[in-house]
Amino acid sequence: MSTMIMPAPTRPPMARMPRISHQQVNQLGGILAFLLGCYRQEGPIFRFRTPGSSEVVTVMAGLEANLFMNRQGGDHLSASAFRLEQNRAYGANKTLVSLDGADHRE
């Protein structure tokens, strides 16, 4: 039996936010242009800091990211913990958006 050695996980690249105002980024055309530029420069997975905040957003964009999510996303990502408080607020144990794997596909 051979053992597969997995590479250490790395963080997606951090895109540089242009020096523009928060209002300009929030305009639909501005944010779409920014995201498209980041995708072209950084690839299908990248991060950026929101203007005026320390919050970091991770973006998965394009065909490669879509194929990954459809084929392997369930093995690597989970929505249940993220949606737990929302479910409690609605008095629900489960919601479609909080289900993972086979439960979500049913």
Side-chain angles (χ1 to χ4, degrees), residues 9 22 26 43 46-47 70 95:
H22 189 268
N26 283 333
F46 58 91
R47 301 173 301 142
N70 280 296
T95 58

Side-chain angles (χ1 to χ4, degrees), residues 38-100:
C38 291
Y39 169 73
R40 288 178 175 160
Q41 182 174 341
E42 305 294 347
I45 303 174
F46 58 91
R47 301 173 301 142
F48 67 92
R49 274 193 181 45
T50 58
S53 169
S54 61
E55 180 182 12
V56 175
V57 175
T58 301
V59 177
M60 298 179 73
L63 180 60
E64 290 175 87
N66 187 286
L67 291 174
F68 167 77
M69 289 301 297
N70 280 296
R71 295 177 182 163
Q72 301 169 355
D75 297 333
H76 302 282
L77 303 171
S78 172
S80 58
F82 179 76
R83 298 287 184 176
L84 184 62
E85 290 301 316
Q86 181 184 34
N87 287 353
R88 287 182 182 154
Y90 287 111
N93 292 326
K94 299 178 185 177
T95 58
L96 180 60
V97 296
S98 69
L99 296 175
D100 293 319

